[in-house]
Amino acid sequence: MGASQRPLKIVWIYPDLLSTYGDQGNTIVLERRAALRGIPTEMVHVRSDQRVPADGDIFLLGGGEDRPQILAAQRLSRDGGLLQAAQRGAVVFAVCAGYQLLGHEFGGEEGQPVAGLGLLDIRSGRGEHRAVGEIVGEVSTELNVPRITGFENHQGVTHLGQGVKPLAKVVSGIGNGSGDGFEGAYSGHVLGTYMHGPALVRNPGLADLLLRWALGQELQPLAPSWAERLRDERLNAVLSTP
């Protein structure tokens, strides 16, 4: 889709269920970085009692507690809009609880397996220890994204299947927690991560990756901003801590 055509449609899914850690910031930074390049956008907020429009270009899911996560998975499965969009190649970016529910299954309120959407070949459960703190990762080279940084707060353990690739190799922090040293996963244009912060605010390169995927073209470079300076400060602080 070219920038001269219809606006880029960004869909924020279920902010009433999946927005525990300020993940609306991910929508704001996508709008802003698109606007700085003259790319028009249309932002759509879809509550859990509304249908998910299958014609969106970028879909965003945030973090949430156990019960809201289960409700979101059930309603998205019945709705079908996100599944249709992903099947035609739309971009899906999910954080924490949203990341887990994209997989085949995740842990429920008592640790029981709950069926996910199957958009990523991952399976998640509940670990013995909670991962809380800063995380840094070296991103897969094929994504052309700088080192990522974020804040993780989860007890999930996510195992990657053969149908996905890890988003990053953990330099500092826990990430997926499965013992393989990886953080996040992606397949095609579907990407999930445990990083809050919000993730796209702290990692403008990751935001630009989603825009590139959605537009099907390279982007005009932007001058470094306060976000990049803050990101560098966080990276330096984490990596300099013994």
Side-chain angles (χ1 to χ4, degrees):
M1 184 187 70
S4 62
Q5 298 176 324
R6 64 176 176 82
L8 194 70
K9 191 169 185 177
I10 302 172
V11 183
W12 187 24
I13 295 178
Y14 297 174
D16 54 329
L17 295 179
L18 301 174
S19 186
T20 303
Y21 299 105
D23 294 312
Q24 184 179 5
N26 291 325
T27 71
I28 295 171
V29 75
L30 282 175
E31 285 185 294
R32 177 59 177 165
R33 293 187 74 79
L36 289 172
R37 297 178 169 99
I39 301 168
T41 58
E42 175 190 359
M43 177 58 63
V44 179
H45 292 184
V46 180
R47 295 179 60 84
S48 58
D49 60 350
Q50 299 174 319
R51 295 298 304 270
V52 176
D55 63 345
D57 298 298
I58 302 178
F59 294 80
L60 301 167
L61 298 95
E65 303 300 327
D66 292 339
R67 186 57 185 164
Q69 180 187 26
I70 294 171
L71 289 173
Q74 293 171 341
R75 294 180 184 185
L76 287 171
S77 181
R78 290 196 301 266
D79 179 274
L82 179 61
L83 301 176
Q84 294 175 35
Q87 288 170 354
R88 66 167 175 77
V91 177
V92 181
F93 177 72
V95 175
C96 206
Y99 169 36
Q100 291 184 351
L101 68 80
L102 291 186
H104 299 300
E105 66 179 30
F106 58 92
E109 294 169 288
E110 303 299 326
Q112 77 278 15
V114 177
L117 301 180
L119 294 184
L120 284 176
D121 184 15
I122 62 173
R123 295 181 184 274
S124 300
R126 184 171 299 177
E128 296 182 2
H129 305 288
R130 191 165 193 86
V132 181
E134 292 290 315
I135 181 170
V136 175
E138 293 288 354
V139 181
S140 172
T141 55
E142 71 178 43
L143 296 181
N144 192 26
V145 172
R147 178 178 280 182
I148 54 175
T149 173
F151 184 83
E152 57 182 348
N153 184 3
H154 65 91
Q155 201 169 341
V157 174
T158 297
H159 298 272
L160 309 188
Q162 296 298 313
V164 297
K165 297 178 181 179
L167 168 63
K169 180 71 174 178
V170 174
V171 176
S172 178
I174 303 299
N176 291 330
S178 59
D180 57 12
F182 292 126
E183 153 57 23
Y186 71 98
S187 177
H189 290 168
V190 180
L191 189 155
T193 177
Y194 276 113
M195 292 190 309
H196 296 286
L200 300 186
V201 177
R202 292 183 60 168
N203 300 282
L206 197 57
D208 286 350
L209 170 67
L210 304 184
L211 292 173
R212 291 202 309 269
W213 279 352
L215 294 166
Q217 64 188 46
E218 292 301 314
L219 301 176
Q220 170 191 349
L222 297 178
S225 67
W226 64 266
E228 280 84 355
R229 293 193 294 271
L230 175 60
R231 174 182 174 278
D232 290 342
E233 289 175 7
R234 291 291 180 88
L235 277 170
N236 291 335
V238 173
L239 296 177
S240 63
T241 300

